[in-house]
Amino acid sequence: MGTIIDEDQALVAAAVKGSEQAWIDLVVRYESRIYNQALRLTGNSADALDLMQEVFIGIYKNLHRFRGESKFSSWVFRIVHNKSIDLARRWRPPVELKSSEEPDQLAKIPSTASDEPDEQIAQEQTNAQVQVLLGQLPIEQRLVVELKLFQSQTFEEISISQDISENTAKTRFYSALKKLKDLLEKNHAMP
Amino acid sequence: MQCPESVRCLSAYILDELVPSEREAFKNHVLGCAQCSAELASFESVKTALNSWDDEALPVSAVAHRERIRNLAKPLTKQEKASRLSPFNWWQWAPSALSFAVLVLVFMDASFLVAEDGFSVSFGGLKNDASVVQMVDREELQQVIARLEQRQDQNNIALMQAVLNQTRESSEANFQQLFAFFDQQRLNDLEQVRASYDQLAESDFETLRSLQQLASYVSFNEIVR
Ligand SMILES: [Zn+2]
C-alpha cells in the first residue's frame, strides 16, 4: 500500500520534470481504473473514453499541483468527478429501463448471460446491468455510490472529496440503495 | 404496516452507524422478523448486483484516445512550439500587459508575482502576500477579468484624479519621481510578465488567452487618452 503511493509520487515528480516515460507509466497504472469508473459514471463506452481522455488531460495539466497530501488515486477521482459532472448531462444508458412496459428487462439480463458461453459477453452483460441500475440515479447519488461501493471510501472521505457534509453523503448513499431496491423489487414482483 | 424496529434501525444498520450492542440486537431481531429480513435481503441484493461489476479492458476503439493521452508528455518540436505560439505573439500584446502591470501597481495597489505555480497578482499592497490571487486557474482569471471590468469606470476616474492631483499639487520633482517609478516598474514587469508568459506558453493555452484578454481590458494607454 505504502509503496504504491510512494511509486505514484515518484512517477508524478518525474513526469512534472518532463519525463515522458514516467507519464506513460502513470497512464498505464490508472487507465483501466479510470476507464471503468468512467464506464460506470457515463453508462456507455464512447462517453467513457471521452471522459477518460478529459480526465488525463486534467491530470496532466494539474500534475505540478499534486502535492502528495492525499493519495494520488483520490486526487485523480476529484478530477474524474469534476469532468463527469459535465458529461452527466449527456448520459445515455445502454438499456432503457421502463418498468411498466418492459417489466422483466432487468431480471432477464443474468439469465441470457448464461446462454452465452463467451466470457467477455457475460462480463459485458453483467456490467450492462450495473450500468442500467446506476443510470437510474442522479449524478450526485451515482458519484457517492461509486466512491462508497467501488472505491471503498469512508463517508468521511467522501464528504471531503465531494465537499458535502457526512450526513449528506450518507443520505445520498441510502437514497440511492433504496431507490434501486424498490426498482428491483418492482421488476421481480411482476410476472 | 412497517415493523417499528425496521424504521428505527434499518438505515442505521445499512450505513453502519450502530454501536456493536445495537448492531447485535438488530441482527437478532432480523432473525425472527420476516419483514426486516426480507427488507435487508433486498438491500443486500442491490449491493450484490452492483458489486458484480467486472473491470473491462479498454475497447479496441480506444486507440486514438490512448495515443492522445500518451502524447501529452511528448516534448514539442521547435516548429510545433512556434505554431502554437503564433496566434498569441507575446510582443503584440506586451504594451497592454505592461501598462496593465504598471496601472495596477500604482493605482490599484497591486503587483505581479512570479510564483512556483506560475503567475499571480496580489492586490492591496506591493509585498502583501495575504491577498495574492493565484492566476493559474482559468476560472480565477475570468473572475479577475470580470472584477476589473466592473472597476474599469471607477479606475478611469481614480486615474484621472490621481493625475490631476499630481499636476496640481505636486512639485515637478515628485512628478519626475513618479515617472521614474513607472519606468522602473515597467522594466521589472517586462521581465516578470515575460517569464510568466514563457512558463504559461509551455503549459496552458487557455490561461494564456485569458491573460491576453485581461491585459487588453486594462490598457493604460486607453485610459490616459
Ligand atoms: Zn422487524
Side-chain angles (χ1 to χ4, degrees):
Chain A
M1 193 73 188
T3 55
I4 290 173
I5 294 171
D6 295 344
E7 282 172 27
D8 278 350
Q9 289 202 353
L11 286 174
V12 170
V16 167
K17 280 190 191 137
S19 160
E20 198 186 340
Q21 191 53 50
W23 170 248
I24 291 173
D25 289 350
L26 271 177
V27 172
V28 169
R29 258 170 193 242
Y30 280 90
E31 160 178 80
S32 165
R33 211 186 305 181
I34 293 173
Y35 174 67
N36 277 277
Q37 286 172 5
L39 261 185
R40 290 187 294 262
L41 291 171
T42 64
N44 68 83
S45 77
D47 280 346
L49 285 175
D50 287 347
L51 176 55
M52 178 186 78
Q53 184 177 308
E54 284 290 304
V55 167
F56 273 116
I57 291 171
I59 293 173
Y60 188 74
K61 274 189 178 178
N62 292 288
L63 211 52
H64 63 286
R65 288 203 252 173
F66 175 67
R67 296 270 181 266
E69 287 138 358
S70 59
K71 276 188 284 185
F72 186 65
S73 56
S74 320
W75 186 77
V76 165
F77 193 79
R78 275 216 292 280
I79 296 177
V80 175
H81 165 255
N82 292 338
K83 305 284 178 192
S84 59
I85 295 285
D86 304 336
L87 262 173
R89 296 181 201 104
R90 289 204 266 144
W91 168 266
R92 292 192 304 252
V95 188
E96 275 296 317
L97 180 74
K98 292 180 196 131
S99 48
S100 52
E101 293 157 31
E102 302 163 79
D104 55 352
Q105 185 73 271
L106 266 177
K108 219 165 65 184
I109 293 167
S111 61
T112 50
S114 62
D115 302 335
E116 195 50 70
D118 191 357
E119 225 174 85
Q120 198 191 328
I121 291 177
Q123 174 204 41
E124 278 171 16
Q125 283 182 331
T126 311
N127 288 352
Q129 187 196 13
V130 175
Q131 286 172 318
V132 170
L133 286 173
L134 291 172
Q136 310 304 309
L137 304 174
I139 183 71
E140 305 80 41
Q141 290 182 11
R142 216 183 304 153
L143 283 162
V144 173
V145 169
E146 169 69 28
L147 290 171
K148 182 71 191 160
L149 278 187
F150 294 97
Q151 308 202 32
S152 310
Q153 288 197 6
T154 64
F155 285 116
E156 195 193 350
E157 289 169 322
I158 295 171
S159 78
I160 294 165
S161 71
Q162 300 289 288
D163 202 18
I164 51 180
S165 74
E166 228 175 296
N167 263 334
T168 305
K170 285 177 179 176
T171 308
R172 283 185 190 170
F173 183 67
Y174 187 74
S175 311
L177 290 190
K178 176 101 173 52
K179 179 171 185 186
L180 296 181
K181 176 190 83 90
D182 293 345
L183 262 166
L184 280 180
E185 279 173 356
K186 225 196 284 176
N187 275 280
H188 288 295
M190 298 225 175
Chain B
M1 226 206 59
Q2 263 216 307
C3 166
E5 275 301 287
S6 153
V7 176
R8 208 169 62 85
C9 296
L10 188 72
S11 66
Y13 179 83
I14 284 162
L15 294 171
D16 209 8
E17 285 179 311
L18 296 177
V19 298
S21 62
E22 290 174 315
R23 198 170 171 80
E24 278 314 302
F26 183 68
K27 270 172 148 176
N28 280 331
H29 166 80
V30 170
L31 287 175
C33 173
Q35 200 189 342
C36 281
S37 82
E39 187 87 346
L40 205 56
S42 276
F43 271 107
E44 287 307 321
S45 72
V46 171
K47 281 194 189 174
T48 309
L50 292 175
N51 279 328
S52 67
W53 181 275
D54 194 3
D55 270 4
E56 288 179 27
L58 267 71
V60 188
S61 59
V63 179
H65 291 85
R66 295 176 95 138
E67 180 148 344
R68 243 169 272 141
I69 290 166
R70 279 162 176 72
N71 284 345
L72 286 170
K74 259 212 160 60
L76 293 176
T77 64
K78 281 218 166 100
Q79 215 169 17
E80 280 172 320
K81 263 190 198 171
S83 75
R84 273 183 71 172
L85 287 180
S86 59
F88 303 108
N89 191 329
W90 145 255
W91 293 110
Q92 277 172 10
W93 61 279
S96 38
L98 286 181
S99 49
F100 168 61
V102 173
L103 175 75
V104 291
L105 265 168
V106 178
F107 294 102
M108 285 168 62
D109 209 12
S111 63
F112 277 102
L113 295 170
V114 183
E116 194 195 341
D117 296 18
F119 199 53
S120 69
V121 166
S122 77
F123 293 95
L126 287 177
K127 300 253 148 48
N128 177 5
D129 50 2
S131 58
V132 166
V133 182
Q134 289 292 330
M135 305 250 292
V136 185
D137 261 357
R138 198 172 133 235
E139 289 84 357
E140 284 163 357
L141 264 176
Q142 298 291 3
Q143 278 169 16
V144 175
I145 290 169
R147 223 166 44 215
L148 287 171
E149 258 189 316
Q150 269 179 2
R151 283 159 61 169
Q152 182 78 75
D153 282 347
Q154 224 175 308
N155 288 332
N156 286 349
I157 295 164
L159 181 64
M160 294 306 266
Q161 267 170 355
V163 172
L164 277 174
N165 288 343
Q166 285 293 341
T167 43
R168 215 187 295 141
E169 291 169 16
S170 300
S171 66
E172 182 75 9
N174 279 347
F175 210 48
Q176 289 300 329
Q177 249 175 359
L178 182 69
F179 275 106
F181 177 71
F182 263 67
D183 212 49
Q184 188 50 50
Q185 290 306 325
R186 189 181 63 81
L187 290 174
N188 292 348
D189 291 329
L190 179 67
E191 249 333 290
Q192 289 206 339
V193 178
R194 213 181 101 78
S196 306
Y197 173 84
D198 286 340
Q199 217 172 330
L200 285 168
E202 290 297 327
S203 60
D204 190 343
F205 243 140
E206 284 301 336
T207 308
L208 193 58
R209 209 189 309 253
S210 305
L211 198 62
Q212 186 184 22
Q213 213 181 341
L214 177 65
S216 66
Y217 273 125
V218 206
S219 164
F220 183 57
N221 293 332
E222 251 177 58
I223 291 165
V224 167
R225 240 186 282 131

